[in-house]
Amino acid sequence: MHQPHPPRLADLPRAPAPGGGARRRRRPGRGAAQGLPHPDWHAREDSPLALAQARQTRDELKAAHTELAEDGAIEIVIIKTTGDMILDKPLADIGGKGLFTKEIDDALLQGSIDIAVHSMKDVPTYLPEGMILPCNLPREDVRDAFICLTAKTLGELPAGSVIGSASLRRQSQILYKYPSLKVVNFRGNVQTRLRKLKEGDVHATLLALAGLKRLGMPETATSVLSVDEMLPAVAQGAIGITCRSNDDKMMEYLSSLNHEDTRLAVACEREFLSVLDGNCRTPIAAYAYRDKDGNCSFRGLLASPDGSIVYETSRSGTYSFDDMVALGQDAGHELKSKAGPGFFDGLQ
């Protein structure tokens, strides 16, 4: 009986080493009888977080499906993206966050890989035709971590202190509360940014606590900012996994891993983002979660990059897909109306 080939996962790497690439080495005598490809892939790249997320997905697939627990049943393929390689410019100047997914989307649609593992906050609100996202893994902590060698909190930093962050969402909220601070573009993966901080390039930086936890280094955080201090990015802390929309087997595998509470929260936040037509020039934050009564609580924010203008809204409703999508849309329309067309024109 013919067996379907095993899933090939692509992770979403961050900041690979210059000149890095993949080389393929086949193990002789394996897989041919079953028609199963078993290449090994190696890449010189610098993305422990991306690999951690891919390995988490692999391990969960193996635990849920015995046929995937066999040796060599799942390969991890490293794919470098344009967003990984251009680190000296803000994302908005090189095309936005879609640059972290384009090469991976192409590989998926061309059949080079079978599923793709993404940090959901990097995924554009519209997926390419022929692709579906049937799975969100359980969401990690959504909060941001403050990391500094000289102060315990943002409020303790002296005037003129430089904070490194590539996120306009973080920049706008920092400058709104602490206008005497300075925020500079600060791209690269977790390890790169921590090294630059230690070398004195900046006085402090902010990182997603979820990433630090997945890397097993939450102690790196000097302190953790509450969502009242720093509203998170849309879908922060969530992992999303895509496959081809006509690949029923992969959809079956992925659906078995889906965490429905996370999927609904992410859908709500992404609808809010979609209404605002959010891009990397627009500071937007949102957080939807199940409250103690089992309902959906939502907070959303739209700001100017310099923090001089901040619009906020909140909502609550039934924790169900249709109601949460409508809630996110309604919140987005409210802030879009408050800001007016001139606000968005000024961000182009």
Side-chain angles (χ1 to χ4, degrees):
M1 178 178 177
H2 177 70
Q3 299 183 23
H5 63 69
R8 290 156 290 174
L9 285 70
D11 69 349
L12 193 61
R14 285 288 177 275
R23 62 182 176 84
R24 178 176 174 177
R25 173 176 61 81
R26 289 193 176 276
R27 286 175 284 194
R30 292 195 57 194
Q34 299 177 344
L36 303 180
H38 284 285
D40 279 349
W41 289 81
H42 305 267
R44 297 189 313 275
E45 62 96 51
D46 187 22
S47 183
L49 177 57
L51 288 173
Q53 294 183 162
R55 288 167 179 159
Q56 177 184 345
T57 303
R58 176 199 62 194
D59 294 345
E60 294 197 21
L61 283 168
K62 285 185 173 185
H65 302 278
T66 56
E67 69 272 24
L68 299 181
E70 298 177 5
D71 183 41
I74 300 176
E75 321 164 18
I76 295 179
V77 180
I78 306 298
I79 296 176
K80 292 190 297 180
T81 67
T82 304
D84 300 317
M85 293 180 281
I86 303 176
L87 298 175
D88 59 346
K89 297 179 181 179
L91 280 178
D93 292 349
I94 59 174
K97 63 184 178 181
L99 293 175
F100 285 119
T101 61
K102 183 181 184 304
E103 287 84 354
I104 293 175
D105 292 344
D106 289 346
L108 183 59
L109 292 172
Q110 292 164 8
S112 302
I113 58 173
D114 299 300
I115 63 178
V117 181
H118 298 284
S119 293
M120 277 302 301
K121 68 177 183 177
D122 292 332
V123 178
T125 51
Y126 294 99
L127 297 176
E129 185 176 354
M131 189 180 302
I132 191 171
L133 201 159
C135 175
N136 288 120
L137 298 183
R139 195 173 197 175
E140 210 5 304
D141 198 316
V142 303
R143 295 174 296 170
D144 283 305
F146 172 73
I147 305 173
C148 181
L149 303 178
T150 59
K152 293 181 179 180
T153 66
L154 279 167
E156 291 183 9
L157 288 171
S161 295
V162 178
I163 301 173
S165 176
S167 165
L168 291 182
R169 169 191 65 88
R170 289 175 178 137
Q171 172 181 304
S172 63
Q173 293 185 77
I174 290 170
L175 296 179
Y176 175 65
K177 295 180 174 71
Y178 306 101
S180 66
L181 301 179
K182 181 180 180 181
V183 182
V184 298
N185 186 50
F186 200 61
R187 292 189 55 214
N189 65 25
V190 171
Q191 286 73 15
T192 299
R193 282 183 266 184
L194 292 177
R195 175 180 55 78
K196 289 181 178 179
L197 173 64
K198 188 175 181 180
E199 292 173 351
D201 290 10
V202 295
H203 297 110
T205 189
L206 272 64
L207 295 171
L209 183 59
L212 295 177
K213 286 189 171 185
R214 289 186 179 123
L215 287 169
M217 47 193 297
E219 71 284 351
T220 303
T222 305
S223 61
V224 177
L225 303 180
S226 71
V227 293
D228 291 327
E229 294 175 282
M230 180 67 64
L231 200 62
V234 166
Q236 182 157 308
I239 292 174
I241 311 173
T242 58
C243 66
R244 291 179 293 278
S245 56
N246 62 358
D247 193 334
D248 293 340
K249 187 61 179 177
M250 295 304 130
M251 280 194 281
E252 179 184 341
Y253 282 143
L254 296 181
S255 295
S256 70
L257 301 185
N258 181 59
H259 187 257
E260 191 65 2
D261 269 20
T262 297
R263 186 181 78 88
L264 268 56
V266 166
C268 177
E269 295 168 18
R270 282 167 62 84
E271 284 296 326
F272 173 75
L273 179 66
S274 179
V275 167
L276 292 172
D277 195 23
N279 56 46
C280 287
R281 296 187 188 276
T282 315
I284 294 172
Y287 180 37
Y289 63 98
R290 187 187 288 274
D291 63 24
K292 59 182 176 60
D293 297 319
N295 296 317
C296 172
S297 287
F298 173 87
R299 290 180 56 193
L301 176 148
L302 172 69
S304 60
D306 64 2
S308 61
I309 303 172
V310 174
Y311 300 103
E312 297 182 81
T313 187
S314 61
R315 295 283 191 287
S316 62
T318 305
Y319 210 99
S320 65
F321 182 81
D322 289 342
D323 287 349
M324 290 172 69
V325 165
L327 185 153
Q329 290 175 344
D330 185 63
H333 284 301
E334 178 196 338
L335 294 195
K336 192 171 187 177
S337 176
K338 282 183 177 180
F343 175 84
F344 296 93
D345 292 343
L347 299 178
Q348 300 304 315

